[in-house]
Amino acid sequence: MTSPASLPLTGLYDSHMHTPLCGHAVGHPREYAQAALDAGLAGVTFTDHIPMPAWYDAPWRMQQGELEQYVDMVQEAQAEFAGRLHVGLGLEADFHPGTERYVEEVLAAHPWDYVIGSVHYIGAWGFDNPEFVDEYERRDLGQLYRHYYALVEGAARSGLFDAVGHLDLPKKFGHHDPGTAVALRALDTVAALGLSLDYNTAGERKPVAEAYPSPALLDAAAARGIGLVLGSDAHQPAEVGYHFAPAAERILLAGGRLVQYAGRVRRG
Ligand code: ZN
Ligand code: FE
Ligand code: FE
Ligand code: ZN
């Protein structure tokens, strides 16, 4: 067996990665870009965690005053790798009801290539934070997923985002959705509104050991014609292109369509 890491990833883009500005990632953007080039990728898009209102989870994201620095850093990498690697400027935005206008202002401030809409909170609970994993024991999983996918549909309907981030994220620590009905309804909404899905290999590094979305939801997304945007969700340069060769193969076998974004326009 050839190790997936040694396969050339020629032509692929990694459209989900972070920078140290979010406070929980390491490595300068130039190191992420170099890692992508070394892996044979054709391009990367930085999608660091968007600034949010001050009362939101400040330790987990760049502050509003750091946005210019973020844009400058990514544009420097863009210039440095010009002609060798496409470098895009994006954001991973949070969808949290009530913050839409704030997000809209940030999105209007710079020429973004790609904006992911992610749900990281159910109410005040950061359900993907390992510190708060005990909370799952107090929740009914069916209800949790109903609530979660209602938020995902809200993200899709908000019109703010190009793609939905890590679709089935509440499974991160192994708490799988007991059914598929609410997930499939969310995919219907995503398809109807023309959004894409972040095909996020970070799940393979987590206890669930499975990409977001699951194989069954990948099939359902492909059947609905939903575009899939490959992303490693790298928080360090070594994670760029993580498990991309098997991921790309899985997507193609499912009949899925790989896409990426530039200037917030879908390509591919
Ligand atoms: Zn992060
Ligand atoms: Fe996320
Ligand atoms: Fe991310
Ligand atoms: Zn993410």
Side-chain angles (χ1 to χ4, degrees):
M1 284 288 287
T2 315
S3 130
S6 70
L7 292 172
L9 304 176
T10 316
L12 296 178
Y13 283 66
D14 186 341
S15 301
H16 190 154
M17 62 189 64
H18 293 272
T19 82
L21 284 178
C22 68
H24 60 277
V26 294
H28 190 276
R30 107 167 38 84
E31 299 174 76
Y32 287 74
Q34 187 60 51
L37 204 55
D38 293 345
L41 295 173
V44 296
T45 299
F46 288 91
T47 52
D48 209 359
H49 298 285
I50 191 175
M52 289 292 277
W55 53 262
Y56 198 71
D57 64 348
W60 296 93
R61 55 193 62 261
M62 70 180 97
Q63 301 308 294
Q64 191 168 4
E66 295 175 312
L67 193 62
E68 300 290 332
Q69 190 190 340
Y70 172 62
V71 172
D72 287 350
M73 269 198 324
V74 173
Q75 288 177 343
E76 278 166 31
Q78 228 159 34
E80 204 173 317
F81 287 82
R84 297 185 290 154
L85 182 80
H86 175 88
V87 176
L89 173 66
L91 284 172
E92 179 177 11
D94 280 50
F95 178 73
H96 193 78
T99 65
E100 294 90 336
R101 195 164 303 167
Y102 182 98
V103 168
E104 197 176 284
E105 285 169 16
V106 176
L107 298 188
H110 293 280
W112 308 106
D113 286 305
Y114 174 53
V115 180
I116 302 170
S118 292
V119 175
H120 295 116
Y121 286 83
I122 294 171
W125 175 36
F127 64 85
D128 76 328
N129 186 332
E131 282 181 53
F132 310 136
V133 68
D134 287 356
E135 179 66 17
Y136 281 92
E137 306 312 320
R138 299 186 197 97
R139 302 277 175 137
D140 175 83
L141 285 185
Q143 198 175 56
L144 187 165
Y145 275 96
R146 278 195 297 281
H147 197 163
Y148 171 75
Y149 281 114
L151 289 165
V152 167
E153 289 197 62
R157 289 204 188 93
S158 73
L160 292 168
F161 314 119
D162 301 314
V164 169
H166 36 58
L167 180 70
D168 46 0
L169 182 61
K171 74 179 178 185
K172 178 174 178 178
F173 306 107
H175 306 87
H176 287 279
D177 190 347
T180 53
V182 286
L184 295 178
R185 200 182 56 197
L187 284 176
D188 288 339
T189 301
V190 166
L193 295 171
L195 278 84
S196 301
L197 281 189
D198 169 44
Y199 188 90
N200 188 316
T201 59
E204 299 179 10
R205 306 190 292 269
K206 307 300 182 195
V208 68
E210 178 180 279
Y212 315 107
S214 68
L217 294 180
L218 169 61
D219 286 345
R224 286 162 176 74
I226 297 170
L228 296 148
V229 189
L230 253 185
S232 64
D233 213 340
H235 284 70
Q236 55 183 65
E239 291 170 345
V240 171
Y242 186 81
H243 286 193
F244 268 23
E249 194 184 340
R250 213 177 294 135
I251 290 169
L252 296 178
L253 285 173
R257 194 162 47 99
L258 274 176
V259 300
Q260 73 256 353
Y261 283 79
R264 305 206 62 185
V265 176
R266 179 167 44 216
R267 311 247 173 114

